């Protein structure tokens, strides 16, 4: 018994000594975690270099855009063909994809050999062979009568500008067909297929085997966004944010990047890690100096690497008693299958002894232990380097998504991963050690990369069908120049109707006289109160105006909320609330005893008989207070002040916020004779010649006309451009059938139009997985501020997704792109319609002045104009296009409804004083 224990101890000691001997010999192949983190950092730097337009030409990791923009979502269906060229065998497949809720598919395939004379002959012979094999497969499957889309898996570095095109950059994996490099291989395949008159195949997509692997696994696991091949060759792909890919136009969404990481280190970046054996192997390869990373980790080279190590160790007398056999001298004699078999530790040394004996090496037990450990170190280094590069990709994904912790899936294929007994476990362990903040699932591709080509084709089919549906939904929002000219002409007609006595009653654009007959001249002086009512907040302001050369305007204000029950209660309650707010402000400012002149900005349609009399035509913007319409709002304010009996005010002017905006800008620029509001509501005012205003007596001078253009179209004149979504928004509003133009152009309604479109797209299965969430059903949830945020050029799709999640909408990347497109279509149309209306006004001003070319300033206010990233630009472009003889300057107003009201009051006082004199 003691002898057995002694023998076991002796064997263990012997094994330990042999392992130490090999460890010392192959010290440079054993990589610490610090070294791997350094490799990871180097690879990340190469990725950034490969993605940059200026740095890509010198990058070794080419980061090739695959033009694959979307992963499978489970709604794909149909019959597809696939061919897979890139390994030791060629494969043809038929893939049936079922949209049955189970994400199921059926696959039939046939393998064909790839003879050396074909893969190293001419390009024409290679593609002719592929076409012949596909024809044979289709005949065996009885498919020749069908027209089928085909996905082409081509496992070599290609530059793609379209999904269905790919220019070969270089051959790898012993392929050397002449005349193919630098040409479009998909086109070559099409030409070869056209010679077969009995088959009708459409090459729709060309993908790399790595991309195919990711797509195959992505069909089974939606989290899969990385593909990894570790076999005869090695490569990785992943879904990169478009904003980082300089080589492709556009920055919306994501695209799969084929890293082509095999060439990592071709510039010397890994020279400190390459051993003498790596260099010797490279010199003896078909492509010396190229694919250096691949030569350190792929199965095509690991067997050869083991042979070179064993040969040197034998020559130095460390193995096989120093006897060099023919097997050790023969290139390619030791293959990856030998290395994998020798690492089956459960079988002890028997496999190793058997393989080495077959190779006429006649090993001792010491030799078997040493050789097994050499195989372990070589394959372990391969797994380590692969893990470091993969960890760099995972870190980039996590940072792109701005997550503290990433949960993702890596789809894997390749003989080394599938057949080596220890490789998967080693790879997983090292990846998790290098990126502890990434939860990674490794999913083995069951159907190979070929099914992936079919899946890419299926996704392309789905996206094309979806694109057609989305385009159909958004088509009515795309307004041609001819349509916009028609809107401009109709607006002009309505403006004239509103100015004429006999047509004013039935005009939709009311053209209300404001009795503001001048703009500031710089002599205005004094203290004024201003009230501002036009939304859910109410403001009281004290405005101090200083005239002369050192003129200035100083303002003090306080904001008060108007509760919904007041907005929609009685008129008496509303004006009592306003007076309460005034009392609080006067107390706050310590001016309760002063009888100051007051300007009242009342941003609702009013018919005025004088500057201090305004009869409410109708409520807008959600107000519904009773007993107000048809009443003079100034009288209602005076009565509320009398009821309170605490203070008195000199109400000089009731003004619209649009007029206030014009006056504010007119204070800075005398050329400003138009005011535009593009915010919660939409309106325009302008200085009209008195002779054209038939509803007011007198022909001398000018008067500001408050167009109240929001009602444009209430007579049906723009029904041709109203969509079903506009009608739904109108029917659900507080004033159905009224303010139709405003409902197509103002901030209060744009979000609701977007919500209606999103519901329709979801019902069609084009958004949010076809599920209409409870939040999406809520009217008013999609505020216009979200449109401005979503359309911001600075906002990545990830942030768009976060905005949607705040709204209770769980969106994918593709959903976010569609939502952004919908927001863009709705806001663009709003800006264009607003521009068409404004073009009618400036053209009228030009004709009034009788000039060939008009120079004029438009004062603008409103959150839509100020905060939306594109609204102002599109509006200005539209005005320029539709009124080419008008040079329009747009000037942002500073507080038109407050400062403007005070300025109107000051101007009115000036005119009043002149009248008295």
């Amino acid at each position: 018994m003691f002898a057995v224990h002694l023998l076991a101890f002796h064997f263990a000691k012997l094994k330990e000594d042999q392992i130490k001997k090999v460890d010392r010999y192959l010290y440079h192949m054993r990589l610490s975690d610090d070294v791997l983190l350094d490799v990871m950092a180097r690879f990340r730097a190469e990725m950034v270099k490969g993605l940059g337009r200026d740095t890509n030409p010198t990058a070794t990791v080419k980061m090739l855009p695959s033009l694959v923009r979307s992963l499978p979502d489970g709604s794909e269906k149909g019959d597809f063909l696939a061919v897979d060229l890139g390994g030791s065998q060629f494969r043809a497949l038929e893939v049936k994809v079922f949209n049955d809720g189970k994400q199921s598919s059926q696959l039939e395939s046939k393998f064909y050999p790839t003879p050396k004379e074909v893969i190293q002959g001419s390009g024409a012979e290679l593609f002719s062979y592929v076409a012949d094999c596909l024809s044979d497969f289709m005949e065996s499957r009885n498919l020749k009568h069908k027209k089928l889309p085909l996905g082409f898996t081509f496992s070599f570095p290609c530059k793609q500008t379209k999904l269905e095109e790919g220019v070969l950059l270089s051959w790898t994996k012993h392929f050397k067909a002449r005349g193919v490099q630098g040409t479009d291989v998909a086109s070559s395949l099409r030409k070869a297929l056209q010679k077969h008159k009995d088959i009708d195949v459409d090459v729709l997509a060309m993908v790399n085997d790595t991309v195919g692997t990711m797509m195959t696994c992505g069909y089974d696991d939606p989290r899969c966004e990385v593909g990894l091949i570790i076999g005869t060759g090695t490569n990785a792909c992943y879904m990169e944010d478009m904003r980082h890919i300089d080589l492709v136009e556009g920055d919306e969404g994501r695209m799969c990047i084929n890293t082509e990481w095999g060439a990592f280190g071709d510039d010397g970046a890994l020279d400190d890690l390459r051993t003498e054996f790596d260099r010797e192997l490279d010199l003896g390869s078909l492509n010396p100096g190229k694919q250096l990373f691949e030569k350190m980790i792929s199965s095509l080279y690991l067997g050869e690497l083991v042979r070179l190590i064993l040969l040197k160790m034998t020559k130095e007398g460390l193995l096989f008693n120093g006897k060099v056999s023919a097997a050790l001298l023969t290139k390619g004699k030791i293959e990856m299958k030998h290395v994998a078999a020798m690492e089956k530790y459960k079988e002890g040394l028997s496999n190793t002894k058997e393989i080495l004996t077959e190779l006429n090496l006649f090993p001792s037990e010491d030799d078997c232990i040493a050789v097994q450990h050499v195989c372990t170190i070589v394959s372990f280094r391969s797994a380590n380097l692969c893990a470091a590069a993969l960890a760099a990709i995972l870190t980039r994904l996590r940072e792109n998504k701005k997550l503290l912790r990433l949960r993702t899936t890596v789809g894997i294929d390749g003989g080394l991963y599938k057949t080596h007994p220890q490789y998967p476990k080693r790879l997983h362990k090292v990846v998790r050690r290098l990126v502890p903040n990434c939860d990674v699932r490794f999913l083995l591709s069951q159907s190979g990369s070929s099914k992936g080509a079919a899946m890419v084709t299926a996704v392309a089919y789905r996206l094309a069908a979806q694109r057609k549906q989305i385009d159909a939904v958004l088509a009515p929002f795309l307004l041609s120049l001819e349509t916009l000219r028609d809107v401009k002409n109709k607006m002009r007609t309505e403006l004239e109707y509103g100015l004429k006595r006999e047509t004013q009653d039935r005009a939709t654009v009311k053209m209300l006289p404001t009795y503001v007959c001048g703009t500031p001249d710089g002599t205005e002086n004094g203290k004024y109160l201003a009230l501002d009512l036009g939304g859910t907040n109410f403001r009281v302001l004290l405005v101090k105006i200083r005239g002369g050369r050192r003129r200035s305007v100083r303002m003090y204000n306080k904001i008060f909320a108007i509760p919904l029950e007041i907005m929609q209660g009685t008129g008496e309650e509303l004006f009592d609330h306003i007076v309460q707010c005034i009392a609080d402000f006067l107390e706050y400012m310590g001016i309760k005893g002063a009888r100051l002149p007051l300007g009242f900005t009342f941003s609702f349609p009013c018919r005025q008989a004088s500057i201090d009399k305004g009869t409410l035509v109708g409520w807008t913007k959600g107000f519904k207070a009773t007993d107000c319409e048809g009443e003079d709002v100034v009288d209602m304010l005076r009565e509320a002040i009398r009821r309170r009996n605490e203070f008195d005010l000199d109400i000089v002017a009731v003004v619209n916020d649009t007029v206030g905006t014009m006056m504010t800008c007119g204070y800075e620029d005398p050329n400003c004779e138009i005011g535009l509001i593009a915010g919660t509501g939409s309106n325009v005012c302008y200085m009209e010649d008195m002779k054209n205003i038939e509803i007011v007596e007198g022909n001398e001078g000018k008067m500001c006309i408050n167009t109240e253009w929001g009602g444009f179209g209430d007579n049906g004149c723009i029904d041709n451009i109203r969509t079903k979504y506009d009608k739904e928004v109108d029917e659900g509003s507080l004033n159905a059938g009224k303010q139709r133009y405003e409902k197509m152009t103002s901030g209060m309604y744009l979000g609701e139009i977007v919500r209606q479109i999103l519901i329709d797209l979801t019902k069609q299965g084009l958004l949010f997985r076809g599920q209409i969430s409870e939040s999406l059903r809520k009217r008013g949830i999609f505020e216009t501020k979200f449109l401005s945020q979503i359309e911001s050029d600075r906002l990545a799709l990830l942030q768009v997704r976060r905005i949607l999640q705040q709204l209770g909408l769980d969106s994918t990347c593709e959903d976010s792109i569609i939502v952004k497109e919908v927001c863009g279509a709705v806001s663009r149309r709003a800006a264009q319609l607003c521009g068409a209306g404004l073009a009618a006004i400036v053209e009228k001003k030009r004709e009034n002045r009788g000039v060939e070319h008009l120079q004029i300033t438009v004062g603008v206010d409103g959150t839509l104009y100020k905060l939306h990233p594109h609204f102002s630009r599109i509006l200005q472009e539209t005005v320029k296009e539709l009124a080419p003889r008008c040079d329009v300057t747009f000037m942002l107003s500073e507080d038109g409804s407050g400062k403007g009201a005070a300025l109107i009051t000051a101007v009115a006082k000036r005119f009043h004083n002149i009248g008295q004199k």
Side-chain angles (χ1 to χ4, degrees), residues 490-551:
K490 285 174 178 174
M491 176 66 86
R492 177 64 188 269
T493 302
E494 290 295 317
L495 296 175
E496 301 293 352
Y497 283 167
L499 288 171
K500 289 186 167 42
R501 185 175 281 109
E502 67 270 18
T503 52
Q504 210 271 341
D505 283 347
R506 61 178 186 273
T508 58
V509 180
K510 287 300 177 189
M511 305 295 281
L512 303 172
T514 65
Y515 294 88
V516 172
C517 297
T519 52
D521 67 357
T523 63
E524 293 76 21
N525 219 354
K527 292 180 184 177
Y528 303 88
L529 275 181
L531 310 182
D532 176 16
L533 178 68
T536 52
N537 289 328
F538 169 66
R539 283 193 310 156
V540 188
L541 304 95
L542 174 65
V543 183
K544 295 179 180 179
I545 302 174
R546 181 177 175 176
R549 280 188 305 173
R550 296 176 65 188
R551 62 183 187 170

Side-chain angles (χ1 to χ4, degrees), residues 175-337:
F175 276 69
K176 279 281 184 181
R178 299 183 302 278
V180 182
Q181 211 163 311
T183 66
D184 176 12
V185 291
S187 175
S188 299
L189 178 58
R190 280 190 200 95
K191 284 175 189 167
L193 288 169
Q194 282 164 8
K195 292 175 184 173
H196 289 263
K197 304 295 181 189
D198 54 341
I199 61 174
D200 190 359
V201 174
D202 188 10
V203 182
L204 272 194
M206 191 188 122
V207 297
N208 181 279
D209 55 345
T210 325
V211 180
T213 295
M214 183 188 76
M215 293 298 275
T216 301
C217 295
Y219 188 64
D220 299 319
D221 181 347
R223 287 188 184 276
C224 183
E225 51 191 342
V226 181
L228 171 64
I229 296 283
I230 182 73
T232 318
T234 181
N235 196 12
C237 70
Y238 73 103
M239 295 301 287
E240 175 62 84
D241 289 3
M242 281 288 289
R243 63 200 163 102
H244 295 145
I245 309 171
D246 287 354
L247 303 173
V248 179
E249 289 301 315
D251 54 9
E252 300 299 339
R254 300 200 299 169
M255 182 181 285
C256 181
I257 289 291
N258 166 24
T259 66
E260 286 298 338
W261 75 6
F264 177 41
D266 286 6
D267 59 351
L270 295 177
D271 280 2
D272 57 326
L273 300 179
R274 290 174 70 226
T275 65
E276 59 181 299
F277 308 110
D278 294 307
R279 291 188 176 87
E280 191 176 343
L281 182 146
D282 176 45
L283 287 171
S285 68
L286 287 171
N287 55 349
K290 293 182 178 177
Q291 299 295 106
L292 298 182
F293 187 63
E294 182 171 82
K295 286 168 186 171
M296 294 169 85
I297 64 174
S298 83
S299 64
L300 187 65
Y301 301 100
L302 294 193
E304 182 61 9
L305 205 53
V306 167
R307 182 189 74 83
L308 291 171
I309 294 167
L310 298 185
L311 176 60
K312 186 171 183 189
M313 288 180 77
T314 306
K315 282 180 177 178
E316 291 181 9
L318 298 172
L319 287 175
F320 312 123
N321 293 319
K323 293 177 183 175
V324 177
S325 69
L328 287 181
L329 293 169
T330 307
K331 186 179 173 182
K333 194 69 177 176
I334 298 179
E335 298 175 29
M336 191 62 224
K337 65 180 180 181

Side-chain angles (χ1 to χ4, degrees), residues 4 12 23 56 138 160 242 293 313 355 397 425 439 458 486 509 552 604 611 650 679 707 745 775-776 788 825 847 912:
V4 171
D23 280 347
N56 176 272
M138 290 179 74
Q160 288 188 260
M242 281 288 289
F293 187 63
M313 288 180 77
I355 290 164
L397 272 176
K425 190 166 60 179
D439 297 324
D486 184 51
V509 180
S552 64
F604 302 93
I611 197 165
D650 176 17
T707 65
T745 57
S775 56
L776 194 56
S788 297
E847 289 174 21
H912 179 70

Side-chain angles (χ1 to χ4, degrees), residues 404-571:
L404 291 173
R405 192 164 197 87
L406 173 72
R407 189 178 168 197
T408 192
T409 298
V410 176
I412 305 192
D413 202 356
L416 181 54
Y417 186 89
K418 285 179 175 178
T419 61
H420 192 288
Q422 315 298 331
Y423 203 94
K425 190 166 60 179
R426 289 170 183 165
L427 178 71
H428 302 174
K429 196 173 178 182
V430 179
V431 166
R432 286 172 182 140
R433 212 165 61 232
L434 294 177
V435 279
N437 47 7
C438 296
D439 297 324
V440 188
R441 179 191 179 203
F442 292 88
L443 181 61
L444 187 61
S445 172
Q446 297 300 325
S447 313
S449 54
S450 320
K451 179 183 170 184
M455 290 314 308
V456 171
T457 310
V459 168
Y461 244 54
R462 167 176 63 81
L463 292 177
Q466 287 178 351
R467 181 74 264 160
K468 209 171 178 181
Q469 287 173 275
I470 293 163
D471 286 348
V473 166
L474 297 182
F477 290 87
L478 302 175
L479 304 180
S480 66
L481 198 56
E482 188 181 341
T483 301
L484 291 170
R485 281 200 186 98
D486 184 51
V487 171
K488 181 188 86 167
N489 295 336
K490 285 174 178 174
M491 176 66 86
R492 177 64 188 269
T493 302
E494 290 295 317
L495 296 175
E496 301 293 352
Y497 283 167
L499 288 171
K500 289 186 167 42
R501 185 175 281 109
E502 67 270 18
T503 52
Q504 210 271 341
D505 283 347
R506 61 178 186 273
T508 58
V509 180
K510 287 300 177 189
M511 305 295 281
L512 303 172
T514 65
Y515 294 88
V516 172
C517 297
T519 52
D521 67 357
T523 63
E524 293 76 21
N525 219 354
K527 292 180 184 177
Y528 303 88
L529 275 181
L531 310 182
D532 176 16
L533 178 68
T536 52
N537 289 328
F538 169 66
R539 283 193 310 156
V540 188
L541 304 95
L542 174 65
V543 183
K544 295 179 180 179
I545 302 174
R546 181 177 175 176
R549 280 188 305 173
R550 296 176 65 188
R551 62 183 187 170
S552 64
V553 178
R554 283 194 296 164
M555 294 188 293
Y556 311 88
N557 74 83
K558 200 168 183 184
I559 298 170
F560 302 90
I562 300 183
L564 189 64
E565 61 269 20
I566 298 286
M567 285 171 68
Q568 298 182 7
T570 67

Side-chain angles (χ1 to χ4, degrees), residues 114-126:
T114 47
K116 190 175 180 181
E117 61 272 18
V118 170
I119 66 171
Q120 295 188 6
S122 72
E125 288 168 342
L126 173 63

Side-chain angles (χ1 to χ4, degrees), residues 365-438:
E365 200 165 272
D366 281 7
D367 293 334
C368 290
I369 293 167
V371 170
Q372 189 179 64
H373 197 54
V374 167
C375 293
T376 298
I377 289 174
V378 169
S379 62
F380 219 127
R381 185 187 69 157
S382 165
N384 278 341
L385 289 171
C386 187
L390 183 57
I393 289 173
L394 294 169
T395 301
R396 184 167 180 87
L397 272 176
R398 184 181 61 77
E399 290 178 359
N400 281 354
K401 295 184 179 189
K402 293 183 169 58
L403 296 173
L404 291 173
R405 192 164 197 87
L406 173 72
R407 189 178 168 197
T408 192
T409 298
V410 176
I412 305 192
D413 202 356
L416 181 54
Y417 186 89
K418 285 179 175 178
T419 61
H420 192 288
Q422 315 298 331
Y423 203 94
K425 190 166 60 179
R426 289 170 183 165
L427 178 71
H428 302 174
K429 196 173 178 182
V430 179
V431 166
R432 286 172 182 140
R433 212 165 61 232
L434 294 177
V435 279
N437 47 7
C438 296

